[in-house]
Amino acid sequence: MGECIYVYCVTQEPCHLIEQCKLNVDLYSLEHHGLRAVARTVSTDDFAETKFQENVKNTVWLKTWALEHHEVLASFVGVVTFLPFKFATVFHSEKNVLAMLDKHEMAMKGRLRKLTGMLEYGVKARVDDDAVKGHVATISPEVRAFDQELAESSPGKAFFLKKKKEIILEHEVQSFFERHMRESMLYLASHAQENTLPACEMADSDGNNGLKAEFLVKQAEKEVFLHEFEARKRVLGVCGIHLECTGPWPPYNFADFSVQ
């Protein structure tokens, strides 16, 4: 059994700040030109390339290591500025880690400057379809016009009008959701330094209506961001659109860096 070096992140913070963030993990740092790679030694039985490909198929193994990776990084949030590395970033030796720091020194230092004093928050939205349909049906002139025509129609004509109304209502609901969510997300973005809105999703993994985006917020302005989020949450909740804010997280979506 051999050993390799697992790197969690890179920072420029003093060692004593890194020390106070330790969990039950034997971390240490490797320093080069003011950059510190926060690392630990791990077994090649776990992370050598061929072994790793087998191990990730083991859900217990994967969950254990992925959770540790996240918990180590989460312990740094709000304490130190750092560039989070992807899960299972390993090097054959400390020499290779130092070579990586040397190669990417300027890029890392530049990104660390941009992340100083920042926090990442995630915002998700989901739709209560029935609630939104009910709300849209009361405010849409086109839908209300159909309701009036239905009330005055014969049974045969009413059948076809109902089908047409359902199609129009579905379109109106989607349009309502997209319009109000885009407006809300853009408003929240005005209280953040960066965001992932260009790539935000309009549906969740199950195909349901939804949207998610991440925001990089100044630590000194987080209360303002969260206050504005709560205001939007209350307004949209009445319409059947439910918002959830999570974080602060390690800046996974704003590191803009890869050792590959």
Side-chain angles (χ1 to χ4, degrees), residues 85-102:
F85 277 27
K86 293 180 179 179
F87 170 64
T89 299
V90 296
F91 297 83
H92 292 299
S93 67
E94 292 185 355
K95 181 179 179 180
N96 289 345
V97 176
L98 295 174
M100 177 271 296
L101 294 177
D102 184 71

Side-chain angles (χ1 to χ4, degrees), residues 8-11 73-74 76-78 80-84 112 115 249-251:
Y8 292 91
C9 63
V10 167
T11 182
L73 294 179
F76 295 159
V77 174
V80 299
T81 300
F82 62 97
L83 283 174
L112 283 166
L115 292 176
W249 300 105

Side-chain angles (χ1 to χ4, degrees), residues 57 116 136 222 253:
K57 299 174 184 177
T116 299
V136 171
K222 68 175 183 178
N253 292 284

Side-chain angles (χ1 to χ4, degrees), residues 8-215:
Y8 292 91
C9 63
V10 167
T11 182
Q12 290 181 286
E13 305 287 356
C15 289
H16 74 274
L17 290 178
I18 299 172
E19 292 286 332
Q20 76 182 48
C21 295
K22 282 187 179 181
L23 300 171
N24 295 320
V25 181
D26 189 17
L27 301 179
Y28 70 102
S29 61
L30 293 165
E31 184 176 356
H32 180 75
H33 291 177
L35 291 172
R36 291 183 178 85
V38 180
R40 66 169 293 185
T41 57
V42 292
S43 170
T44 52
D45 284 347
D46 285 310
F47 289 98
E49 186 172 355
T50 54
K51 293 286 187 179
F52 178 74
Q53 296 303 323
E54 295 176 8
N55 289 334
V56 291
K57 299 174 184 177
N58 182 327
T59 55
V60 175
W61 183 95
L62 182 60
K63 182 178 180 180
T64 299
W65 280 101
L67 181 61
E68 180 191 283
H69 180 88
H70 172 71
E71 287 182 341
V72 168
L73 294 179
S75 72
F76 295 159
V77 174
V79 180
V80 299
T81 300
F82 62 97
L83 283 174
F85 277 27
K86 293 180 179 179
F87 170 64
T89 299
V90 296
F91 297 83
H92 292 299
S93 67
E94 292 185 355
K95 181 179 179 180
N96 289 345
V97 176
L98 295 174
M100 177 271 296
L101 294 177
D102 184 71
K103 179 180 179 180
H104 300 290
E105 177 183 351
M106 298 309 296
M108 287 181 170
K109 288 181 176 178
R111 196 57 196 162
L112 283 166
R113 281 194 295 273
K114 291 185 178 181
L115 292 176
T116 299
M118 300 292 179
L119 298 170
E120 177 176 322
Y121 286 92
V123 174
K124 295 181 181 180
R126 63 177 180 82
V127 176
D128 181 332
D129 286 333
D130 291 337
V132 176
K133 283 181 180 179
H135 179 75
V136 171
T138 63
I139 64 172
S140 169
E142 191 170 3
V143 173
R144 290 207 307 269
F146 264 96
D147 286 336
Q148 183 175 348
E149 190 174 357
L150 276 167
E152 301 170 354
S153 299
S154 64
K157 184 178 180 181
F159 175 81
F160 292 103
L161 285 174
K162 284 180 181 179
K163 292 293 185 183
K164 190 172 182 179
K165 175 189 171 182
E166 289 174 5
I167 295 172
I168 290 175
L169 184 56
E170 288 291 341
H171 174 76
E172 291 274 296
V173 165
Q174 187 65 17
S175 177
F176 177 87
F177 171 72
E178 292 185 9
R179 181 173 67 256
H180 285 275
M181 281 313 308
R182 295 288 184 188
E183 289 175 357
S184 294
M185 290 295 191
L186 287 172
Y187 183 74
L188 290 175
S190 71
H191 294 280
Q193 301 305 300
E194 296 182 29
N195 62 75
T196 60
L197 283 176
C200 63
E201 300 175 4
M202 289 305 300
D204 64 21
S205 59
D206 296 320
N208 301 315
N209 281 336
L211 183 147
K212 63 179 180 179
E214 291 76 32
F215 300 88

